[in-house]
Amino acid sequence: MNQEAWKKVEDAVAASKTTTIKQLFAADPDRAAKYTLSAAGWTLDYSKNRIDANVMKALFGLAKAANLQEEIEKMFTGAKINRTENRAVLHTALRNCDPAAQVFVDGKDVMPDVRAVLAKMGAFADAVRSGAHRGFTGKRIKYVVNIGIGGSDLGPVMATLALAPYSKRSIKSFFVSNVDATHLAETLRQVKAAETLFIVASKTFTTQETMTNAESARDWLVKELGGSGSAVAKHFVALSTNEAEVVKFGIDPANMFAFWDWVGGRYSLPSAIGLSLMISIGPKNFGKMLKGYWKMDKHFRTARLEKNMPVVLALLGILYSNAYGAESYAVLPYDQYLSRFPAYLQQMDMESNGKAVTKDGKPVAYSTGPIEWGEPGTNGQHSFYQLIHQGTHLIPADFIGFCKTHNPIGDHHDKLMANLFAQTEALAFGKTAEQCRADGDPEELVPFKTFEGNRPTNTLLADDLTPETLGALVALYEHKIFTQGVIWNIYSFDQWGVQLGKVLAKNVLKDLVAEKPELKHDSSTNALIAHYRKVLGRA
Ligand code: G6Q
């Protein structure tokens, strides 16, 4: 992080720190309008933050000092900004809806391949939805089971739930990720082999969890239907970058939907990894989602920093992480359809910016990626909001809501949105001791019923939850996270911690199953392995 520019942020914060959000509002009747932005169907009201013009100016200075706009251009034009893996980072190419667009990686335009895979996915999704593609016994596909984990699971799970109102209800979607056989077993109890399509989603096609689940699903299907290879051909497709492994597994490359090493797992929803979603909502709606992404992409690439929604969100996050010491932030969607959105963002943010080394390989001198967490409102209000309102931690929060509902029953939606607005109001303005007394609270309870307020929130509003607004929302957070990575001077697109997990478990597995293992771990791990073996009679 540029220290000179950061010093200016610290100075601006020091000068304004004692002014509360309440005082900021009292001093400026236009505050809400001043700190509201619109882009790609979304409105961001960030007025309920601990900011004034000087703090924002210093924050924009920080972005400029990091050459943010040049870095954005590098990403969009295919430069190898994921240097530790020597890869371009081009999830934006996946949703570039300009038919004339060209994006080059190593001198090759990637757009023709992007369009070809999308077309292949569309034809296949249509065939499954219409019944043209049938199972081995001639029955229609009624169940789609996506087998994948991490980036090959969380996006499709989140979006399939979010866009359920657009789904073909006669096709049920399932997602199996955990290597715990319970996940697969409980799913298989709910489907019929003759009517099930398995989608094996894995960028590498070597991930232990996914391959184990895929092999067990294949064994189950063959046992249920017979027919071996010919049954597998009708009931299994693969989403991957690794054709050799797909073929080795027994899936015909004709049934493989490709993507490329420049698509990071956690950014892969708009790639072939979205096939389960496309089957659920149809290619047209999938296309609309890509359009939403694209709109936010164009906004991020072209809007000046001061009007740039992802940049503003990123800077506010940095303000609280680095100037106020906030360790986490909450994402609180007031929409049941977005119930998996916080979990999806958790991976996107924490895997991208959970880094402690700068791009020069030196330890960072400041905190980086925050802990991201959340649950849908209003449920969270009845559990953890207490700590946000009155606890000792500062937890900035993003409230996400929609003016219209897909389920207009009675006054549910007005109540839902009233809660959203009321929470941000209460968090910002609190309740004074005088107000408590005026409400008749006994004096001894006043300290407990007083709310300090001054809790920062952003409110993100769209008219309704559609494929387009969902795509734009995902892109908004992707670009926020990118911006933070640029300012923190860290590599946001590798994930060595995930790779480590993949290797470690393999070593332990050998010791769990070997006839006579030579346990060479620490004494705790050795004892745990020995205990496990003893219980299973393998001692
Ligand atoms: C995402 C991560 C990670 C990855 C999974 C699954 O950015 O790299 O979550 O998506 O480990 O990997 P495969 O798709 O290769 O099975």
Side-chain angles (χ1 to χ4, degrees):
M1 193 154 65
N2 183 296
Q3 286 310 298
E4 211 176 299
W6 178 245
K7 176 81 180 46
K8 288 189 182 154
V9 175
E10 282 186 325
D11 290 347
V13 170
S16 66
K17 219 168 185 168
T18 52
T19 313
T20 63
I21 295 173
K22 192 175 182 177
Q23 289 164 334
L24 290 166
F25 270 90
D28 182 0
D30 290 335
R31 183 171 170 84
K34 227 175 249 173
Y35 295 115
T36 295
L37 286 177
S38 294
W42 284 94
T43 298
L44 165 67
D45 175 349
Y46 63 104
S47 60
K48 294 188 183 96
N49 277 290
R50 298 180 184 180
I51 50 163
D52 61 15
N54 287 333
V55 171
M56 287 314 295
K57 194 172 162 220
L59 286 168
F60 290 122
L62 186 66
K64 282 177 201 146
N67 295 322
L68 177 61
Q69 264 152 337
E70 277 170 41
E71 294 298 318
I72 294 173
E73 271 316 290
K74 279 192 206 161
M75 173 171 73
F76 275 87
T77 52
K80 297 204 171 165
I81 59 171
N82 176 3
R83 204 166 57 80
T84 58
E85 295 181 306
N86 193 30
R87 288 175 183 167
V89 175
L90 271 180
H91 41 276
T92 51
L94 299 168
R95 60 264 189 148
N96 188 328
C97 303
D98 175 357
Q102 293 184 310
V103 181
F104 291 90
V105 175
D106 292 329
K108 183 180 178 239
D109 179 12
V110 300
M111 291 310 297
D113 285 348
V114 168
R115 293 183 196 111
V117 172
L118 256 182
K120 184 173 170 182
M121 288 166 67
F124 183 71
D126 275 338
V128 172
R129 289 164 62 86
S130 69
H133 176 99
R134 293 188 175 231
F136 179 59
T137 65
K139 290 200 167 159
R140 284 180 81 122
I141 297 298
K142 285 197 193 149
Y143 310 99
V144 172
V145 180
N146 187 82
I147 298 177
I149 195 163
S152 301
D153 169 69
L154 288 160
V157 172
M158 178 282 291
T160 303
L161 262 174
L163 298 178
Y166 299 85
S167 67
K168 191 174 173 77
R169 302 273 183 184
S170 57
I171 297 180
K172 281 202 171 132
S173 308
F174 296 87
F175 297 87
V176 175
S177 50
N178 200 336
V179 73
D180 181 346
T182 299
H183 206 174
L184 180 66
E186 287 298 338
T187 302
L188 296 184
R189 286 192 178 108
Q190 299 173 68
V191 304
K192 293 193 178 103
E195 296 167 341
T196 301
L197 174 73
F198 290 97
I199 299 180
V200 187
S202 175
K203 182 171 166 178
T204 54
F205 233 70
T206 55
T207 303
Q208 186 194 53
E209 294 92 329
T210 301
M211 298 327 296
T212 306
N213 277 321
E215 278 155 22
S216 299
R218 185 185 55 192
D219 293 349
W220 174 82
L221 183 102
V222 170
K223 195 167 147 245
E224 293 281 311
L225 298 184
S228 171
S230 36
V232 171
K234 287 283 179 195
H235 292 269
F236 274 79
V237 298
L239 320 176
S240 189
T241 58
N242 191 344
E243 186 172 322
E245 286 297 325
V246 169
V247 171
K248 228 193 260 173
F249 180 87
I251 295 178
D252 188 332
N255 295 332
M256 168 179 161
F257 299 83
F259 57 114
W260 308 274
D261 73 356
W262 42 261
V263 182
R266 52 196 174 275
Y267 298 89
S268 64
L269 173 62
S271 74
I273 289 294
L275 183 66
S276 55
L277 171 68
M278 194 193 259
I279 293 173
S280 173
I281 63 172
K284 253 200 200 135
N285 283 319
F286 194 85
K288 285 184 188 165
M289 181 183 78
L290 297 185
K291 238 186 207 134
Y293 269 106
W294 189 43
K295 278 190 185 166
M296 189 58 81
D297 290 346
K298 284 192 290 183
H299 166 78
F300 180 54
R301 193 173 177 182
T302 57
R304 60 192 179 89
L305 298 182
E306 291 76 4
K307 294 276 168 213
N308 198 311
M309 200 182 279
V311 173
V312 167
L313 271 189
L315 292 173
L316 292 169
I318 287 178
L319 173 72
Y320 296 117
S321 284
N322 301 110
Y324 283 96
E327 294 201 317
S328 78
Y329 79 99
V331 174
L332 309 166
Y334 276 63
D335 194 305
Q336 193 58 28
Y337 287 125
L338 285 184
S339 58
R340 292 296 286 165
F341 192 68
Y344 171 64
L345 263 194
Q346 211 165 49
Q347 180 194 24
M348 193 201 284
D349 203 341
M350 293 165 73
E351 208 168 79
S352 297
N353 287 342
K355 312 286 164 63
V357 173
T358 65
K359 289 181 182 170
D360 324 317
K362 307 221 167 80
V364 288
Y366 38 83
S367 61
T368 59
I371 300 157
E372 189 278 334
W373 57 282
E375 277 288 322
T378 61
N379 294 18
Q381 291 174 205
H382 299 266
S383 63
F384 55 78
Y385 278 37
Q386 166 61 35
L387 186 144
I388 305 180
H389 280 287
Q390 287 188 307
T392 54
H393 299 274
L394 175 68
I395 301 176
D398 291 354
F399 283 73
I400 302 172
F402 300 92
C403 298
K404 297 184 224 161
T405 174
H406 285 288
N407 298 297
I409 302 170
D411 61 356
H412 286 244
H413 195 63
D414 289 334
K415 285 177 177 160
L416 176 73
M417 294 306 285
N419 273 283
L420 186 166
F421 299 138
Q423 286 292 329
T424 66
E425 190 177 27
L427 286 163
F429 298 99
K431 188 174 183 187
T432 61
E434 289 69 44
Q435 284 171 308
C436 293
R437 289 186 192 108
D439 282 355
D441 289 328
E443 196 54 33
E444 68 270 21
L445 286 186
V446 167
F448 305 100
K449 297 185 89 172
T450 301
F451 291 78
E452 187 190 27
N454 209 24
R455 284 6 186 206
T457 60
N458 294 308
T459 302
L460 276 161
L461 271 186
D463 289 357
D464 36 22
L465 175 54
T466 63
E468 238 183 284
T469 54
L470 181 71
L473 182 68
V474 173
L476 169 64
Y477 279 99
E478 286 178 348
H479 298 323
K480 171 200 163 181
I481 290 163
F482 170 83
T483 300
Q484 293 186 329
V486 168
I487 292 175
W488 283 323
N489 192 30
I490 55 177
Y491 286 117
S492 299
F493 297 102
D494 58 18
Q495 55 284 311
W496 298 107
V498 180
Q499 322 291 31
L500 174 72
K502 291 184 183 184
V503 178
L504 289 182
K506 279 190 188 146
N507 296 340
V508 173
L509 180 61
K510 274 190 223 139
D511 290 338
L512 293 185
V513 299
E515 212 154 293
K516 279 201 171 78
E518 260 186 73
L519 296 180
K520 288 186 179 153
H521 308 267
D522 57 275
S523 60
S524 161
T525 311
N526 283 345
L528 291 168
I529 293 173
H531 180 98
Y532 177 84
R533 290 182 59 99
K534 194 169 164 206
V535 170
L536 297 180
R538 292 181 197 159

